[in-house]
């Protein structure tokens, strides 16, 4: 296909989730329902943490920030999908595409960074309980969140700048239902070596290194738990990080799949499945995982419900 100069590209065409007109109302209702459930669930987590003084601890401070990032993450993509289904329009402006790509990278990286910080929090709580209050003080917690945001902004700008640097596009058809960074990068007239170097470098910095930190934290946590003599003590210690571990496995398992599948695969079906799981299902499941497996959150939600009633 003939290359197009950047100055002549004012819009991109997003991929439809389905070409079947009979499925459009079902997809509309499904995405709208999942979006509302996600926003409501994460807002309840934030309200529960902020309203209960017993939850004003580092772990729940990070959890409320994670919920806030999940709301922003799903709000970056799903409202546009819902609007496109309703209006039967799959066009997104060039500026709108870069904006969506930037916000997607920011909130996705925030999830990544916050999960890493939460793993460190659990490591300190279990391996160094006597020094927990001194290490995980309010200044350190705020610094960690600000640093996570800074890294997220940096990753976002890296994606945007490399797209802006290459001023030619091979096509305007994006093989996804939103402006996923790897797919937009695929459209630029950049050689395969440079593209792969960028993808794997960013993936290593914002994927491999945080994941390595999480693995190291849990290696220390498991080693510490195994030294506890009683079975009850082991279960109690491990239960404090069970929810976080579940979210980490879900987040990184699907995130790695969507990132590298988008980068190396041209199969729209695979890309769509991974993308829906990553952008919609994970943010929707996080509140359920933390509320169903966490006794303190359950109590806080019941208190919040009694106040409303």
């Amino acid at each position: 296909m003939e290359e197009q100069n950047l100055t002549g590209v004012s819009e991109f065409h997003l991929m439809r989730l389905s070409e079947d007109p009979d499925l459009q109302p079902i997809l509309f209702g499904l995405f709208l329902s999942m979006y509302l459930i996600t926003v409501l669930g994460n807002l309840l987590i934030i309200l529960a943490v902020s309203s209960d003084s017993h939850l004003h601890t580092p772990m729940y401070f990070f959890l409320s920030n994670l919920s806030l990032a999940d709301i922003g993450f799903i709000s970056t993509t799903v409202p546009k999908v819902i609007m496109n289904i309703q209006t039967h329009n799959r066009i997104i402006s060039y500026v709108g595409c870069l904006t969506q790509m930037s916000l997607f990278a920011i909130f996705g990286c925030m999830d990544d960074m916050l999960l890493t910080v939460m793993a460190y929090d659990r490591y300190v709580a279990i391996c160094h309980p006597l020094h927990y209050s001194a290490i995980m003080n309010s200044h350190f917690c705020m610094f960690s969140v600000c640093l996570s945001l800074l890294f997220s902004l940096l990753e976002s700008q890296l994606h945007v700048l490399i797209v802006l640097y290459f001023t030619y596009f091979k096509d305007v058809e994006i093989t996804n239902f939103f402006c996923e960074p790897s797919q937009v990068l695929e459209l630029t007239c950049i050689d395969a070596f440079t593209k792969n170097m960028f993808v794997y470098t960013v993936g290593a910095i914002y994927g491999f290194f945080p994941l390595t930190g999480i693995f190291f934290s849990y290696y220390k946590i498991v080693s510490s738990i195994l030294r506890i003599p009683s079975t009850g003590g082991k279960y109690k210690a491990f239960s404090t990080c069970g929810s976080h571990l579940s979210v980490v496995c879900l987040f990184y398992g699907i995130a790695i799949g969507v990132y590298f599948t988008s980068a190396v695969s041209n199969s729209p079906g695979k890309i769509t499945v991974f993308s829906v799981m990553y952008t919609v299902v994970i943010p929707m499941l996080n509140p359920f995982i933390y509320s169903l497996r966490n006794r303190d959150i359950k109590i806080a939600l019941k208190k919040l419900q009694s106040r409303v009633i």
Side-chain angles (χ1 to χ4, degrees):
M1 186 171 291
E2 186 179 353
E3 295 178 357
Q4 303 178 53
N5 193 285
L6 182 65
T7 57
V9 176
S10 59
E11 61 187 29
F12 291 99
H13 298 165
L14 299 172
M15 186 185 70
R16 288 190 177 94
L17 290 168
S18 174
E19 298 292 339
D20 188 350
D22 294 333
L23 284 178
Q24 301 307 309
I26 298 174
L27 290 173
F28 176 82
L30 184 62
F31 273 83
L32 180 61
S33 300
M34 289 192 292
Y35 178 70
L36 293 176
I37 291 171
T38 302
V39 173
L40 178 61
N42 282 288
L43 280 177
L44 285 175
I45 295 290
I46 295 171
L47 288 173
V49 171
S50 61
S51 63
D52 194 330
S53 59
H54 295 94
L55 300 184
H56 293 175
T57 62
M59 181 177 72
Y60 294 111
F61 171 73
F62 294 132
L63 176 58
S64 59
N65 278 278
L66 181 68
S67 294
L68 190 61
D70 281 338
I71 293 174
F73 187 56
I74 195 171
S75 297
T76 301
T77 57
V78 174
K80 177 64 176 174
V81 174
I82 294 171
M83 185 180 72
N84 289 351
I85 294 173
Q86 185 67 13
T87 60
H88 305 286
N89 181 22
R90 62 190 187 96
I91 294 175
I92 185 170
S93 67
Y94 172 74
V95 174
C97 185
L98 290 187
T99 302
Q100 188 182 61
M101 183 180 71
S102 177
L103 292 174
F104 175 83
I106 289 172
F107 290 116
C109 188
M110 273 296 290
D111 272 2
D112 184 14
M113 295 293 107
L114 286 172
L115 287 173
T116 306
V117 174
M118 291 171 76
Y120 178 73
D121 171 76
R122 293 298 83 204
Y123 158 72
V124 176
I126 293 174
C127 300
H128 303 284
L130 298 179
H131 301 93
Y132 181 78
S133 298
I135 297 174
M136 302 302 296
N137 56 69
S138 59
H139 296 291
F140 177 80
C141 293
M142 188 60 68
F143 172 77
S144 299
V145 172
C146 291
L147 189 63
S148 299
L149 179 59
L150 180 62
F151 272 101
S152 302
L153 290 171
L154 179 60
E155 187 204 18
S156 169
Q157 293 310 302
L158 283 175
H159 281 96
V160 172
L161 288 175
I162 197 160
V163 171
L164 290 174
Y165 179 78
F166 293 93
T167 57
Y168 288 89
F169 288 95
K170 295 179 289 187
D171 199 356
V172 294
E173 297 285 339
I174 296 176
T175 316
N176 213 325
F177 57 87
F178 69 101
C179 291
E180 201 275 323
S182 295
Q183 290 298 311
V184 177
L185 184 65
E186 184 67 28
L187 296 181
T188 60
C189 293
I190 177 176
D191 61 277
F193 176 77
T194 304
K195 178 179 75 75
N196 290 333
M197 281 295 294
F198 177 77
V199 169
Y200 293 124
T201 300
V202 172
I205 295 173
Y206 292 96
F208 177 75
F209 291 135
L211 193 57
T212 301
I214 292 173
F215 276 141
F216 179 77
S217 295
Y218 273 100
Y219 166 74
K220 291 292 186 180
I221 288 171
V222 172
S223 300
S224 180
I225 290 175
L226 291 177
R227 289 196 294 268
I228 298 175
S230 66
T231 304
K234 291 179 180 179
Y235 175 79
K236 184 178 180 181
F238 190 76
S239 65
T240 63
C241 53
S243 298
H244 175 261
L245 187 58
S246 301
V247 172
V248 166
C249 293
L250 188 65
F251 178 84
Y252 275 100
I254 298 176
I256 291 171
V258 70
Y259 195 84
F260 290 107
T261 299
S262 299
V264 302
S265 175
N266 292 321
S267 172
K270 291 181 180 179
I271 293 171
T272 301
V273 170
F274 274 113
S275 297
V276 170
M277 290 290 293
Y278 184 54
T279 59
V280 184
V281 176
I282 291 179
M284 183 180 67
L285 290 180
N286 283 355
F288 291 99
I289 293 173
Y290 276 105
S291 61
L292 293 176
R293 295 177 59 89
N294 192 300
R295 181 172 172 269
D296 294 334
I297 291 290
K298 288 180 183 179
I299 294 173
L301 288 173
K302 288 179 181 178
K303 290 181 180 178
L304 189 64
Q305 182 184 12
S306 63
R307 291 176 186 176
V308 174
I309 296 176

